Amino acid sequence: MKKKLLALGVAAALSLSLAACTTPEEGTNGDTLIKVGFSQIGSESGWRTANTDSVKASLSKDNGFELTFADAMGKQENQIKALRDFITAGVDVISFTPIVETGWDQVLQEIKDAGIPVVLVDRLVDTTVEDPYVTWVGADFRLEGQLAGQWVKENYPDAKIFELQGQLGSGAQIERELGFHEYMAANIIGQATGNFNREDGKVAMEAALAKYPDMNLLFAHNDDMGLGAIEAIKAAGKVPGVDIIIVTVDGVKAGLEALLEGEINYIVECNPVFGDQIADLIKKVYADEPVNKENIVVDATFEHGTFTQEELDQRKY
Ligand code: AHR
């Protein structure tokens, strides 16, 4: 990828001069490795762990990459710092999953001024910066919410629904909520965030069970929060999947095990294993080859009663 010299800021000029002093690393076939800085959100869920494993496996040295992986431990400020470090290090491509949609304007402008292309992964940004990324790969969150809403509408049209939202302000939360509400907005009796993790999901569900005693259906924006909610439901003396119908998103192994047992009733998949697509896009972006602006990872749906042990055994994550 040719650097846009005219647009280089002070930091990028420094990183270029540093880069000039070092010999680029070579891959197993003698090709120069593509230097990638990847900023991951953290490890809030089973989905995230599977996604991180997939990213690391695909952006390997054998596959032609020199990867700098930064775990933001769930904090946007850590992500912004990592992105600035990548600029200073003079990486060829920056890739990241934005924890929330907003708050990126300044750092995205700095990346742009440094002439480094951005490959967004999983979630999108909402920014005033023009053309902030070359390409994005991830799931259609709106569709996931719609699929969950359609299933509830068909099977439990009169449900009294509590919604466990993901990290507020994230693309996954905003879009899943919008999609689900297209079908079931009138039935929602309460909402709270569980931040996409099991413990917060459990705590939010404990409070909701006390506040909304007539709730009979839970829509959780991911499996982990649904699994935390199941603990709260059992502790309250109710039967998950029977007294309270449970619909989640993701399809990680622990979620699918609960589906098989009937504690979760319906899961809309969000497949985290798309490191190979990320690698392919980064290679094309680095080589200045054309890429689609949006690349959708295709999802499936799973229902208790039709999902089988054989299917579970075949799942990789
Ligand atoms: O952005 C994808 C979402 O983030 C997954 O559904 C959730 O489990 C994760 O934390």
Side-chain angles (χ1 to χ4, degrees), residues 281-295:
L281 285 169
I282 291 176
K283 280 185 178 168
K284 287 191 172 136
V285 166
Y286 178 72
D288 259 339
E289 288 173 19
V291 287
N292 291 332
K293 190 85 184 170
E294 295 195 340
N295 304 274

Side-chain angles (χ1 to χ4, degrees), residues 13-204:
L14 176 67
S15 69
L16 263 191
S17 60
L18 285 174
C21 303
T22 55
T23 322
E25 268 208 73
E26 286 185 355
T28 39
N29 59 3
D31 286 350
T32 305
L33 296 174
I34 304 171
K35 287 191 208 159
V36 181
F38 189 97
S39 165
Q40 180 61 288
I41 292 175
S43 52
E44 74 280 5
S45 62
W47 190 99
R48 188 65 54 202
T49 307
N51 182 250
T52 291
D53 291 348
S54 176
V55 166
K56 285 183 176 169
S58 298
L59 301 184
S60 66
K61 220 171 209 175
D62 285 353
N63 207 9
F65 298 95
E66 185 187 329
L67 173 66
T68 305
F69 183 92
D71 180 341
M73 318 278 284
K75 291 200 163 71
Q76 184 177 29
E77 70 229 47
N78 291 346
Q79 283 204 287
I80 291 173
K81 181 177 180 313
L83 298 180
R84 291 202 166 114
D85 289 347
F86 297 154
I87 298 173
T88 307
V91 298
D92 298 309
V93 179
I94 287 178
S95 186
F96 75 108
T97 294
I99 186 163
V100 288
E101 290 198 337
T102 55
W104 306 101
D105 296 355
Q106 204 179 323
V107 73
L108 283 173
Q109 190 60 53
E110 289 167 27
I111 295 171
K112 200 171 177 181
D113 291 345
I116 302 174
V118 172
V119 173
L120 279 186
V121 168
D122 173 28
R123 299 180 186 173
L124 282 160
V125 288
D126 180 0
T127 177
T128 53
V129 175
E130 220 177 292
D131 224 2
Y133 59 93
V134 184
T135 182
W136 161 81
V137 56
D140 185 340
F141 297 138
R142 178 81 63 105
L143 178 64
E144 290 170 352
Q146 288 168 338
L147 290 170
Q150 276 169 9
W151 186 84
V152 174
K153 183 131 208 128
E154 271 169 39
N155 294 281
Y156 300 96
D158 301 319
K160 294 187 172 54
I161 303 171
F162 176 65
E163 182 173 18
L164 259 178
Q165 303 154 294
Q167 164 104 40
L168 295 179
S170 67
Q173 175 264 320
I174 294 168
E175 294 296 321
R176 283 176 189 161
E177 188 167 322
L178 284 170
F180 188 77
H181 286 213
E182 282 176 31
Y183 291 87
M184 296 310 300
N187 297 55
I188 312 263
I189 57 169
Q191 286 179 306
T193 184
N195 293 314
F196 281 129
N197 73 69
R198 195 184 280 224
E199 187 51 35
D200 289 0
K202 183 181 170 198
V203 170

Side-chain angles (χ1 to χ4, degrees), residues 251-297:
V252 295
K253 249 204 169 119
L256 289 168
E257 276 162 10
L259 182 86
L260 200 60
E261 284 163 22
E263 294 190 332
I264 293 180
N265 305 76
Y266 191 67
I267 297 181
V268 179
E269 185 185 37
C270 182
N271 187 347
V273 183
F274 55 93
D276 51 346
Q277 279 174 267
I278 300 169
D280 186 51
L281 285 169
I282 291 176
K283 280 185 178 168
K284 287 191 172 136
V285 166
Y286 178 72
D288 259 339
E289 288 173 19
V291 287
N292 291 332
K293 190 85 184 170
E294 295 195 340
N295 304 274
I296 306 279
V297 180

Side-chain angles (χ1 to χ4, degrees), residues 178-243:
L178 284 170
F180 188 77
H181 286 213
E182 282 176 31
Y183 291 87
M184 296 310 300
N187 297 55
I188 312 263
I189 57 169
Q191 286 179 306
T193 184
N195 293 314
F196 281 129
N197 73 69
R198 195 184 280 224
E199 187 51 35
D200 289 0
K202 183 181 170 198
V203 170
M205 191 64 178
E206 279 164 359
L209 284 163
K211 197 166 169 191
Y212 312 107
D214 54 346
M215 164 217 308
N216 57 16
L217 192 143
L218 167 70
F219 173 47
H221 289 189
N222 81 345
D223 289 344
D224 288 73
M225 294 190 298
L227 292 164
I230 286 173
E231 291 177 38
I233 292 167
K234 285 181 180 169
K238 295 194 174 187
V239 183
V242 178
D243 296 331

